[in-house]
Each structure stands twice: as structure tokens, then as C-alpha cells.
Amino acid sequence: MARTNLRYGANHGHPTTPIEKTLRPSQRKGVQSNRTKFVRSVIREVVGFSPYERRVMELLRNSKDKKARKLTKKRLGTLLRSKRKLEELGTIIAESRRTGH
């Protein structure tokens, strides 16, 4: 909201030009760059899945979702990380079904 020259109210104060906000490094933390995404995809392609990820994928294929959630939570520490991992592995399973592997 633009300030008016009023002494009181929502828009009180001298009229000024707003300063453009920039993100601090702490606010950019965790934003994935194209290079990082590419490197991780290459590593995934070369190395494959860890044993617990293979087990979780097998549980998801056999529709044992609760067991898979418990296993990933035990391995990763928090429920939010577990949900993200299950989502990621679920999309990979769906992708493999579409391609026919």
C-alpha cells in the first residue's frame, strides 16, 4: 500500500518508493539447481536403488502401504521425509509400468 501524508491510519507516514526485496541465502536453502538435479539423476541411473528402497518398492507393489510407510519412517527419521520418499518411489513405479519394464 502506498503511504499518504497522513499522520494516523493504515497508510500513515511520508510517501516513499518501496525497496525491492531480495532473498537471503538462508531463504534460498534447499532450492534445487538444474546442475544438482542432473547430477542426482545420473547417479540414480548408474547406482540404482538402495536395498531399503527396493524393499519399499516391493511393498508398494503388493499394496502394503502402511508397512512401507513404517519402514521408510524408521530409515529416514521423520514422517514428512517418509511421505516424500514414498511419493518419489510411487512415481518411479508408475513410470516403470508406463514404459513396460
Side-chain angles (χ1 to χ4, degrees), residues 24-51:
R24 287 192 221 105
S26 64
Q27 294 168 328
R28 286 194 307 262
K29 185 179 187 305
V31 175
Q32 201 173 52
S33 66
N34 289 333
R35 184 174 186 276
T36 308
K37 193 184 292 186
F38 171 71
V39 168
R40 286 183 183 161
S41 71
V42 168
I43 290 170
R44 172 68 79 191
E45 198 174 306
V46 173
V47 178
F49 296 98
S50 64

Short mmCIF file of all heavy atoms in Angstrom, two decimals, residues 24-51:
data_model
loop_
_atom_site.label_atom_id
_atom_site.label_comp_id
_atom_site.label_asym_id
_atom_site.label_seq_id
_atom_site.Cartn_x
_atom_site.Cartn_y
_atom_site.Cartn_z
N ARG A 24 17.48 -13.85 0.95
CA ARG A 24 18.74 -14.12 1.64
C ARG A 24 19.15 -15.55 1.33
O ARG A 24 18.32 -16.38 0.97
CB ARG A 24 18.54 -13.98 3.15
CG ARG A 24 18.42 -12.53 3.57
CD ARG A 24 18.54 -12.44 5.08
NE ARG A 24 17.57 -11.49 5.57
CZ ARG A 24 16.44 -11.81 6.20
NH1 ARG A 24 16.13 -13.06 6.44
NH2 ARG A 24 15.62 -10.87 6.60
N PRO A 25 20.43 -15.87 1.46
CA PRO A 25 20.87 -17.25 1.23
C PRO A 25 20.13 -18.27 2.07
O PRO A 25 19.85 -19.37 1.61
CB PRO A 25 22.35 -17.21 1.59
CG PRO A 25 22.75 -15.80 1.37
CD PRO A 25 21.56 -14.97 1.72
N SER A 26 19.76 -17.90 3.30
CA SER A 26 19.04 -18.83 4.16
C SER A 26 17.65 -19.12 3.62
O SER A 26 17.10 -20.19 3.85
CB SER A 26 18.93 -18.25 5.57
OG SER A 26 18.15 -17.08 5.55
N GLN A 27 17.08 -18.18 2.87
CA GLN A 27 15.76 -18.39 2.29
C GLN A 27 15.83 -19.17 0.99
O GLN A 27 14.85 -19.73 0.55
CB GLN A 27 15.07 -17.03 2.05
CG GLN A 27 14.76 -16.30 3.35
CD GLN A 27 14.36 -14.87 3.11
OE1 GLN A 27 14.83 -14.22 2.17
NE2 GLN A 27 13.51 -14.34 3.98
N ARG A 28 17.02 -19.20 0.37
CA ARG A 28 17.21 -19.96 -0.87
C ARG A 28 17.60 -21.40 -0.59
O ARG A 28 17.66 -22.23 -1.49
CB ARG A 28 18.30 -19.32 -1.72
CG ARG A 28 17.89 -18.05 -2.41
CD ARG A 28 18.88 -17.67 -3.49
NE ARG A 28 20.25 -17.62 -3.03
CZ ARG A 28 20.88 -16.51 -2.67
NH1 ARG A 28 20.27 -15.36 -2.68
NH2 ARG A 28 22.15 -16.56 -2.30
N LYS A 29 17.92 -21.72 0.67
CA LYS A 29 18.43 -23.04 1.03
C LYS A 29 17.44 -24.13 0.61
O LYS A 29 16.26 -24.04 0.88
CB LYS A 29 18.66 -23.13 2.53
CG LYS A 29 19.30 -24.42 2.98
CD LYS A 29 19.50 -24.40 4.47
CE LYS A 29 20.27 -25.59 4.94
NZ LYS A 29 19.74 -26.86 4.58
N GLY A 30 17.96 -25.14 -0.05
CA GLY A 30 17.13 -26.27 -0.43
C GLY A 30 16.53 -26.15 -1.83
O GLY A 30 15.93 -27.11 -2.31
N VAL A 31 16.66 -25.00 -2.47
CA VAL A 31 16.15 -24.85 -3.83
C VAL A 31 17.10 -25.58 -4.77
O VAL A 31 18.31 -25.34 -4.76
CB VAL A 31 16.04 -23.36 -4.23
CG1 VAL A 31 15.63 -23.21 -5.67
CG2 VAL A 31 15.06 -22.67 -3.33
N GLN A 32 16.55 -26.50 -5.56
CA GLN A 32 17.39 -27.37 -6.37
C GLN A 32 17.77 -26.70 -7.69
O GLN A 32 16.91 -26.19 -8.40
CB GLN A 32 16.65 -28.67 -6.65
CG GLN A 32 17.55 -29.80 -7.03
CD GLN A 32 16.78 -31.09 -7.13
OE1 GLN A 32 15.78 -31.15 -7.81
NE2 GLN A 32 17.27 -32.11 -6.47
N SER A 33 19.06 -26.71 -7.99
CA SER A 33 19.53 -26.14 -9.25
C SER A 33 19.44 -27.19 -10.35
O SER A 33 19.32 -28.39 -10.06
CB SER A 33 20.97 -25.65 -9.11
OG SER A 33 21.83 -26.75 -8.90
N ASN A 34 19.53 -26.75 -11.59
CA ASN A 34 19.47 -27.68 -12.73
C ASN A 34 20.65 -28.65 -12.70
O ASN A 34 20.49 -29.83 -13.00
CB ASN A 34 19.48 -26.91 -14.05
CG ASN A 34 18.18 -26.19 -14.26
OD1 ASN A 34 17.14 -26.61 -13.75
ND2 ASN A 34 18.22 -25.09 -14.99
N ARG A 35 21.81 -28.14 -12.32
CA ARG A 35 23.02 -28.97 -12.29
C ARG A 35 22.88 -30.08 -11.24
O ARG A 35 23.17 -31.24 -11.51
CB ARG A 35 24.23 -28.11 -11.97
CG ARG A 35 25.54 -28.87 -12.01
CD ARG A 35 26.72 -27.92 -11.83
NE ARG A 35 27.97 -28.63 -12.01
CZ ARG A 35 28.58 -29.33 -11.08
NH1 ARG A 35 28.04 -29.44 -9.88
NH2 ARG A 35 29.72 -29.94 -11.33
N THR A 36 22.40 -29.72 -10.06
CA THR A 36 22.22 -30.70 -8.99
C THR A 36 21.22 -31.76 -9.40
O THR A 36 21.45 -32.95 -9.17
CB THR A 36 21.73 -30.00 -7.71
OG1 THR A 36 22.58 -28.92 -7.41
CG2 THR A 36 21.68 -30.95 -6.55
N LYS A 37 20.13 -31.32 -10.02
CA LYS A 37 19.10 -32.26 -10.48
C LYS A 37 19.68 -33.24 -11.49
O LYS A 37 19.45 -34.46 -11.41
CB LYS A 37 17.94 -31.47 -11.11
CG LYS A 37 16.69 -32.30 -11.34
CD LYS A 37 15.62 -31.50 -12.05
CE LYS A 37 15.08 -30.40 -11.19
NZ LYS A 37 13.93 -29.70 -11.80
N PHE A 38 20.49 -32.71 -12.42
CA PHE A 38 21.11 -33.56 -13.45
C PHE A 38 22.08 -34.56 -12.83
O PHE A 38 22.05 -35.75 -13.15
CB PHE A 38 21.83 -32.68 -14.47
CG PHE A 38 22.66 -33.46 -15.45
CD1 PHE A 38 22.06 -34.24 -16.41
CD2 PHE A 38 24.04 -33.43 -15.37
CE1 PHE A 38 22.81 -34.98 -17.31
CE2 PHE A 38 24.81 -34.16 -16.26
CZ PHE A 38 24.20 -34.94 -17.23
N VAL A 39 22.93 -34.08 -11.92
CA VAL A 39 23.93 -34.95 -11.29
C VAL A 39 23.25 -36.06 -10.51
O VAL A 39 23.63 -37.23 -10.61
CB VAL A 39 24.86 -34.12 -10.36
CG1 VAL A 39 25.71 -35.02 -9.48
CG2 VAL A 39 25.75 -33.23 -11.19
N ARG A 40 22.20 -35.73 -9.77
CA ARG A 40 21.48 -36.74 -8.99
C ARG A 40 20.80 -37.76 -9.89
O ARG A 40 20.74 -38.94 -9.55
CB ARG A 40 20.47 -36.08 -8.06
CG ARG A 40 21.14 -35.42 -6.90
CD ARG A 40 20.16 -34.83 -5.93
NE ARG A 40 20.87 -34.14 -4.87
CZ ARG A 40 20.33 -33.23 -4.08
NH1 ARG A 40 19.06 -32.89 -4.22
NH2 ARG A 40 21.05 -32.65 -3.15
N SER A 41 20.27 -37.31 -11.03
CA SER A 41 19.62 -38.25 -11.95
C SER A 41 20.65 -39.21 -12.55
O SER A 41 20.38 -40.40 -12.71
CB SER A 41 18.87 -37.51 -13.05
OG SER A 41 19.78 -36.91 -13.94
N VAL A 42 21.85 -38.70 -12.87
CA VAL A 42 22.92 -39.56 -13.41
C VAL A 42 23.35 -40.58 -12.36
O VAL A 42 23.50 -41.76 -12.67
CB VAL A 42 24.13 -38.71 -13.87
CG1 VAL A 42 25.33 -39.58 -14.16
CG2 VAL A 42 23.76 -37.91 -15.11
N ILE A 43 23.51 -40.14 -11.13
CA ILE A 43 23.91 -41.05 -10.05
C ILE A 43 22.84 -42.12 -9.85
O ILE A 43 23.15 -43.31 -9.71
CB ILE A 43 24.16 -40.27 -8.74
CG1 ILE A 43 25.43 -39.43 -8.88
CG2 ILE A 43 24.28 -41.20 -7.56
CD1 ILE A 43 25.65 -38.45 -7.76
N ARG A 44 21.58 -41.73 -9.87
CA ARG A 44 20.47 -42.68 -9.70
C ARG A 44 20.49 -43.72 -10.82
O ARG A 44 20.26 -44.90 -10.60
CB ARG A 44 19.15 -41.93 -9.67
CG ARG A 44 17.92 -42.79 -9.70
CD ARG A 44 17.73 -43.60 -8.44
NE ARG A 44 17.18 -42.78 -7.40
CZ ARG A 44 17.10 -43.16 -6.13
NH1 ARG A 44 17.54 -44.33 -5.76
NH2 ARG A 44 16.60 -42.36 -5.22
N GLU A 45 20.78 -43.23 -12.05
CA GLU A 45 20.82 -44.12 -13.21
C GLU A 45 21.96 -45.13 -13.10
O GLU A 45 21.80 -46.31 -13.41
CB GLU A 45 21.01 -43.27 -14.47
CG GLU A 45 20.65 -43.96 -15.75
CD GLU A 45 20.74 -42.99 -16.91
OE1 GLU A 45 20.10 -41.92 -16.86
OE2 GLU A 45 21.47 -43.32 -17.87
N VAL A 46 23.12 -44.68 -12.62
CA VAL A 46 24.30 -45.54 -12.54
C VAL A 46 24.21 -46.50 -11.34
O VAL A 46 24.42 -47.69 -11.47
CB VAL A 46 25.59 -44.69 -12.45
CG1 VAL A 46 26.80 -45.57 -12.18
CG2 VAL A 46 25.78 -43.91 -13.73
N VAL A 47 23.90 -45.95 -10.17
CA VAL A 47 23.96 -46.72 -8.94
C VAL A 47 22.69 -47.52 -8.69
O VAL A 47 22.75 -48.63 -8.18
CB VAL A 47 24.24 -45.77 -7.74
CG1 VAL A 47 24.26 -46.52 -6.44
CG2 VAL A 47 25.54 -45.04 -7.95
N GLY A 48 21.54 -46.97 -9.05
CA GLY A 48 20.28 -47.67 -8.81
C GLY A 48 19.72 -47.33 -7.44
O GLY A 48 19.96 -46.25 -6.90
N PHE A 49 18.97 -48.27 -6.87
CA PHE A 49 18.29 -48.04 -5.60
C PHE A 49 19.00 -48.76 -4.47
O PHE A 49 19.62 -49.79 -4.66
CB PHE A 49 16.84 -48.53 -5.69
CG PHE A 49 16.03 -47.79 -6.69
CD1 PHE A 49 15.83 -48.30 -7.96
CD2 PHE A 49 15.49 -46.56 -6.39
CE1 PHE A 49 15.09 -47.61 -8.89
CE2 PHE A 49 14.75 -45.86 -7.30
CZ PHE A 49 14.55 -46.38 -8.56
N SER A 50 18.87 -48.20 -3.27
CA SER A 50 19.44 -48.85 -2.09
C SER A 50 18.54 -50.03 -1.71
O SER A 50 17.38 -50.10 -2.14
CB SER A 50 19.53 -47.85 -0.94
OG SER A 50 18.24 -47.43 -0.56
N PRO A 51 19.05 -50.95 -0.93
CA PRO A 51 18.26 -52.14 -0.57
C PRO A 51 16.92 -51.81 0.09
O PRO A 51 15.91 -52.44 -0.23
CB PRO A 51 19.18 -52.89 0.39
CG PRO A 51 20.54 -52.49 0.01
CD PRO A 51 20.43 -51.07 -0.46
#
